[in-house]
Amino acid sequence: MTTILSLDTSFKNISVALLKNSIITDIVLKNQSSNSEEILPLIKKILEIKKTKLQEIDAIAFTNGPGRFSGIRMSNNIAQGLSLVHKIPLIHVSTLIVISEFVRKFYFIKEKICVCMKADTKSVYWGLFHYNKKQKWEVCEKEKNITHLDLYQKLKNIDKKIVLIGDIWSKKFILDKDIFIHNKIIYIESPNARDIIPFALSNFIKKNTLHPENSFPNYINSF
């Protein structure tokens, strides 16, 4: 059976997960800064819990952005280092797609999903996705960094109901009450490494893996 280690340090929380014997185990630390002093002990801990050696890992998966500059750089660097030393292939996954997957599973969402995560005080990371009838994710609009005003215009121009998820939705952000009345809102402050696993497993089966020298963070003007 496939064994996959996954990491996320893209936003407020840091998390690791391990797929072994078709079971996913995860550890999450909330409201943490992203540095090796925190994430490396988590990796060691989850391997000890599951009685697994790094040499048994088939692939290392991680969110490569968008997100905090230091966070996505850290996960990329750690994954690259482990990959080089132990010759483990890498798989990276969009942070916003991982958040969408969690919401789809937990809330049974069928509508299009708009993910908006804070980039800075004036802009957000935007992505629009849909889980189709073939049970695959479609990217309806490419991920980008947009201003609050651009986001408002995009939401006004979408002709169907969507689900708004992310960490920016609050009373302070209400530019048009109709947008919030007619669309479901789910507050999510950070992805979880366990939701990387389905994407990683699919890519591993298809042999869509990377060598460490070909792995690059997706900063999109990260803060």
Side-chain angles (χ1 to χ4, degrees):
M1 290 186 180
T2 306
T3 302
I4 296 176
L5 174 69
S6 63
L7 330 169
D8 175 73
T9 59
S10 57
F11 285 100
K12 288 184 178 181
N13 304 338
I14 64 174
S15 58
V16 299
L18 186 70
L19 171 68
K20 185 175 182 178
N21 297 326
S22 300
I23 298 172
I24 301 175
T25 304
D26 69 315
I27 304 174
V28 180
L29 290 182
K30 293 191 174 183
N31 299 314
Q32 302 291 316
S33 59
S34 300
N35 60 64
S36 58
E37 293 179 358
E38 294 166 332
I39 190 70
L40 288 174
L42 282 189
I43 294 172
K44 182 179 179 181
K45 184 175 181 180
I46 201 165
L47 292 175
E48 288 175 348
I49 290 172
K50 301 303 292 183
K51 296 181 173 60
T52 305
K53 297 179 180 179
L54 276 168
Q55 292 84 346
E56 299 175 61
I57 302 295
D58 294 305
I60 299 172
F62 60 98
T63 46
N64 74 320
R68 294 188 302 186
F69 179 88
S70 60
I72 55 179
R73 180 182 61 184
M74 178 58 61
S75 59
N76 189 78
N77 289 349
I78 288 175
Q80 282 181 320
L82 293 174
S83 175
L84 282 168
V85 173
H86 299 282
K87 302 187 185 307
I88 305 170
L90 298 177
I91 299 167
H92 60 218
V93 184
S94 158
T95 308
L96 304 188
I97 278 279
V98 171
I99 294 173
S100 299
E101 173 64 8
F102 164 75
V103 170
R104 182 194 69 82
K105 290 193 304 184
F106 193 81
Y107 294 94
F108 305 101
I109 299 299
K110 295 182 179 180
E111 300 92 339
K112 285 183 179 179
I113 291 177
C114 167
V115 187
C116 291
M117 301 294 288
K118 180 182 177 183
D120 55 38
T121 57
K122 296 181 180 180
S123 65
V124 300
Y125 298 122
W126 152 278
L128 188 63
F129 311 100
H130 181 242
Y131 194 73
N132 63 29
K133 293 180 180 179
K134 295 181 180 179
Q135 297 184 330
K136 292 183 179 180
W137 281 102
E138 295 177 359
V139 179
C140 302
E141 281 200 31
K142 187 178 178 181
E143 298 170 347
K144 59 184 71 174
N145 185 313
I146 62 174
T147 66
H148 290 176
L149 183 59
D150 288 338
L151 172 60
Y152 168 70
Q153 292 298 333
K154 282 181 175 293
L155 294 178
K156 288 284 286 185
N157 293 332
I158 293 174
D159 58 354
K160 294 183 179 180
K161 288 185 179 181
I162 58 174
V163 179
L164 308 174
I165 64 177
D167 64 352
I168 66 165
W169 309 112
S170 68
K171 291 181 179 179
K172 293 181 180 179
F173 197 80
I174 296 178
L175 298 172
D176 187 323
K177 290 183 179 179
D178 286 342
I179 291 173
F180 290 82
I181 291 171
H182 295 107
N183 296 289
K184 187 173 184 177
I185 299 171
I186 301 171
Y187 183 87
I188 301 289
E189 64 179 10
S190 201
N192 187 320
R194 73 178 296 115
D195 296 308
I196 300 172
I197 296 294
F199 298 100
L201 184 58
S202 174
N203 278 285
F204 182 79
I205 291 170
K206 296 174 183 176
K207 298 183 179 180
N208 292 334
T209 60
L210 297 169
H211 293 289
E213 62 269 22
N214 296 324
S215 176
F216 302 100
N218 180 20
Y219 288 123
I220 313 185
N221 299 323
S222 301
F223 56 98

